[in-house]
Amino acid sequence: MSAVLLIAIPLLVAFVSILSKKLAPWLLLATPIANLVLLFLVPTGIVVIGGFQPPFGISLLLDTYSFIALFAVNALVFVIGLLNVKEYHQFSSILLVALAGLNGLILTNDLFNLFVFLEIAGIAAYLIAASNKKPASVFHYLVLGAVGSSFYLFGLIILYAMFGTLNMVDMIEKINAATVSASALILPFFLMFVGLGVEAKLLPFNSWVKGVLGSSNTMSGPMFASVYAVTVSFVFGRLLNNLFAFQGNLLVVVVAILLLGIALGEAMAFSSKKAREILLYSSIAQASVVILLFVNGLVLWGALLAVANAVSKFVLFYVVTKAQKEVGCDDLDSLQGMFQGNYVVGVAFSVAALSVIGIPLFAGFVLKLGYLTELAANANWLAIAVILVASLVEGIYYVRMLVKLWYPGEKEVKVSFGNVATVVIALAAALLLVFGVYRGPIDNLDNTIDSVSEVIDLG
Amino acid sequence: MKKLFAFVLTIGLGVLMIFSLRANTLFPEFGDVSIADRISALFLDKSVNGDNGDVVFGQTTDAEDGAANLVTSIVVDYRSFDTLGEVTVLFISSLGVALLLGVAGKQKRLALNFKPNFMLRVGSRALFGIILMTGVYVILHGHLTPGGGFPGGAMIASSILLLYLADDEFRTKVKGFKVLESVAGSLYVIVGLLGLVLATYFLQNFLPTGTVGDLFSAGVLPIVYVLIGLKVGSEISGIIDHFLTEGDLA
């Protein structure tokens, strides 16, 4: 048993799945389940591939950090597959390749291998976005995504020219050993930050998000807003925490980009009247918050916030895209009163929204309290101020949205969600409630969930 | 205004690059890198798992990597996992082409804007065989000489493209390509899994590597390259077919 199976199995199944259109959807559902079981069986630590010990060859790293991300990604892909398997059955093979790519992104301990998986996951993402039937916006995304990954690659090439290694742990060791001023490394780190920033929806690089998520459907919406978002956050977090040594001017620029992202994201969400746009701008702001936590070294809180956001955004996006499909429009006015007769879905949606705002009793509150306390301990008052004001704005537009969706308008809006979807959404919301009250698992974890520095210490 | 902004941004990025790399003690001048203190030095010496001494063409036997072609030894042995990833990149691209351009029901060829004559058709058939065999040769000798699965597969696909361009009636069996693509891809992963089972690690070589320079050497490398060649050839051929056919409304 080896963690490489988490990548190899979806890949093998994807290759096989193109032979039978009938079997492919079943394979899509079985594979994430198999991965979830495997995840608990495989040992943690460095996984060597090809028999060449690191820093030679390619290796993977499975620790608590990647375990959390893998669990979230595989579970979410299963759920999204389950809810869309009938309508989007021709996307089964693509989702399987995407799963392999995302698992690879999370697991890999090699910076070039990371680029390869970024390509796989990226191309899969363009195809998933193609299900929106808005070719121009997908093309826009394709161009931005390709330029972004080239930036990452370019930064990596410079690092490779400097240190002659691609293994992440080895690279970090060599950077630590090289006694040079941080300014010598500004360019590669900045290029890699920009490259990943495109996928992570950070502010100046995220012009694709509106076109793709603004016209998303029940498959592409949750895939981008939860699965891709959580993966990219974790990958970004790993690099930010261990590799990128942001200091001086570069740190100021990065923090400014992130704070601006939070502020503008919430402002745009506030001024929007379309349900999907509100959610997508809110995800842009949340993505910036997560990255900001990673930049400040709050690994645990960043990771948990990314997972909590993934669960909430899955519920929010699925409900809104489903309603949009049935009503044909996602203006809040035309969806008015859609929760009348859909009480379970309505409650679950409200739980997810309130958790994103950070109301007590929901998971979002525990997290917000946690990371604000840590930021206060670091005397990071500017970040706290921006996050608090952002939460207030967030609270206003989410509550406005909830009121709209609960209270019936002049026209009766009928949306049927089906039993499976209702149960799944209710379970996801229940998770947010449980972790809003019971914080045992969180207390047992700390920043050491990311074990790269331990691996380096051990040599 | 937008164009001017883009222009300024591009110039700015260029200036940033020049200033941050010029006189940067970490960034070596072109040609100044000492290969001895890079990890790639051990790839060249085939000495990653212990020093194996000098590698001599036609004499060294049972090296940790048996490929005479250094590029192949890195691409398909030391970093084979990346290559599996690249194969997947092509796979999902062809899936995407099939998803976007594929049509259910009856299909017909896109018409050429000239009528191919008899000589062109027969001549291209003759060339087809030569190109195909060159492709097969390049794939089979990928571990010895420059070439390998990717260029060889592209050659095979180009021979198919020739038939498509020289004959407006020609269609291949796309279903066959799909089966080949699927089987070749699956076998690559299975070779990797066999490494996990028969040896210790995923994608580890589990066959004897023979003498460096022999046709039958380098363990699983030639097998993997044949699979890659078949997969690349069938995938690109499938893409060509999708581009040159359309739904038949009649």
Side-chain angles (χ1 to χ4, degrees), chain B residues 68-157:
Chain B
N69 180 354
L70 283 175
V71 177
T72 302
S73 73
I74 291 173
V75 170
V76 195
D77 199 4
Y78 293 116
R79 298 190 67 87
S80 188
F81 197 53
D82 277 344
T83 306
L84 180 59
E86 293 298 343
V87 167
T88 313
V89 167
L90 189 62
F91 171 73
I92 187 147
S93 307
S94 90
L95 269 185
V97 171
L99 180 79
L100 297 175
L101 295 179
V103 273
K106 248 184 117 188
Q107 295 163 341
K108 68 169 171 115
R109 279 286 309 275
L110 285 176
L112 300 172
N113 64 356
F114 66 98
K115 188 81 197 134
N117 59 25
F118 175 75
M119 282 307 292
L120 182 60
R121 284 208 299 271
V122 174
S124 60
R125 296 262 151 123
L127 264 181
F128 165 77
I130 298 172
I131 300 177
L132 189 72
M133 287 323 291
T134 314
V136 170
Y137 176 87
V138 166
I139 292 173
L140 287 178
H141 290 71
H143 56 300
L144 303 177
T145 52
F150 284 100
M155 281 179 199
I156 291 178

Side-chain angles (χ1 to χ4, degrees), chain A residues 174-194:
Chain A
K174 287 197 165 140
I175 289 177
N176 290 341
T179 47
V180 284
S181 71
S183 66
L185 290 167
I186 281 188
L187 184 70
F189 289 161
F190 182 67
L191 290 175
M192 288 164 95
F193 179 80
V194 172

Side-chain angles (χ1 to χ4, degrees), chain A residues 68 73 131 400:
Chain A
I68 295 172
V73 165
S131 67
R400 199 174 59 186

Side-chain angles (χ1 to χ4, degrees), chain A residues 35-107:
Chain A
N35 267 1
L36 284 174
V37 175
L38 256 178
L39 192 53
F40 285 94
L41 298 178
V42 294
T44 53
I46 296 268
V47 181
V48 174
I49 293 173
F52 306 106
Q53 295 296 325
F56 306 98
I58 295 170
S59 55
L60 309 176
L61 175 58
L62 178 64
D63 56 4
T64 315
Y65 184 81
S66 37
F67 184 93
I68 295 172
L70 287 168
F71 188 84
V73 165
N74 286 284
L76 283 165
V77 167
F78 168 72
V79 172
I80 293 170
L82 183 69
L83 297 182
N84 291 294
V85 84
K86 271 201 191 127
E87 194 166 352
Y88 295 104
H89 55 88
Q90 74 272 41
F91 283 86
S92 304
S93 304
I94 291 167
L95 287 179
L96 279 166
V97 178
L99 181 66
L102 295 169
N103 284 346
L105 266 178
I106 297 167
L107 275 172

Side-chain angles (χ1 to χ4, degrees), chain A residues 1-2 4-5 7-9 11-12 14-21 47-53 55-58 60 90-91 93-94 97-98 108 110-117 119-120 123-125 127 130 151 154 157-167 170 174 178 180-181 183-188 190-191, chain B residues 2 13 16-18 20-21 24-28 33 35 37-43 47-49 64-65 73 77-97 99-100 104 175 177-190 192-193 196 200-205 231 235:
Chain A
M1 287 292 176
S2 159
V4 75
L5 292 175
I7 304 167
I9 288 177
L11 213 52
L12 179 62
F15 289 147
V16 173
S17 73
I18 59 170
L19 288 179
S20 163
K21 283 201 174 102
V47 181
V48 174
I49 293 173
F52 306 106
Q53 295 296 325
F56 306 98
I58 295 170
L60 309 176
Q90 74 272 41
F91 283 86
S93 304
I94 291 167
V97 178
T108 190
D110 186 281
L111 294 165
F112 183 77
N113 197 234
L114 197 152
F115 169 74
V116 172
F117 283 119
E119 289 281 280
I120 295 174
I123 299 174
L127 293 171
F151 265 69
F154 190 34
I157 289 170
I158 295 173
L159 276 186
Y160 182 67
M162 289 170 165
F163 298 101
T165 184
L166 290 169
N167 183 287
D170 191 39
K174 287 197 165 140
V180 284
S181 71
S183 66
L185 290 167
I186 281 188
L187 184 70
F190 182 67
L191 290 175
Chain B
K2 211 174 170 184
L13 190 63
L16 178 76
M17 278 175 198
I18 292 168
S20 59
L21 291 184
N24 189 331
T25 45
L26 286 173
F27 192 72
V33 175
I35 203 79
D37 44 73
R38 298 276 162 141
I39 60 163
S40 41
L42 297 188
F43 292 160
S47 302
V48 168
N49 293 336
E64 63 173 17
D65 165 86
S73 73
D77 199 4
Y78 293 116
R79 298 190 67 87
S80 188
F81 197 53
D82 277 344
T83 306
L84 180 59
E86 293 298 343
V87 167
T88 313
V89 167
L90 189 62
F91 171 73
I92 187 147
S93 307
S94 90
L95 269 185
V97 171
L99 180 79
L100 297 175
K175 185 78 189 159
F177 281 141
K178 220 170 166 182
V179 172
L180 194 60
E181 180 185 348
S182 166
V183 169
S186 310
L187 283 177
Y188 191 174
V189 182
I190 287 169
L193 291 174
L196 191 64
T200 322
Y201 302 108
F202 187 70
L203 281 172
Q204 193 173 11
N205 191 357
K231 191 161 167 62
E235 264 159 10

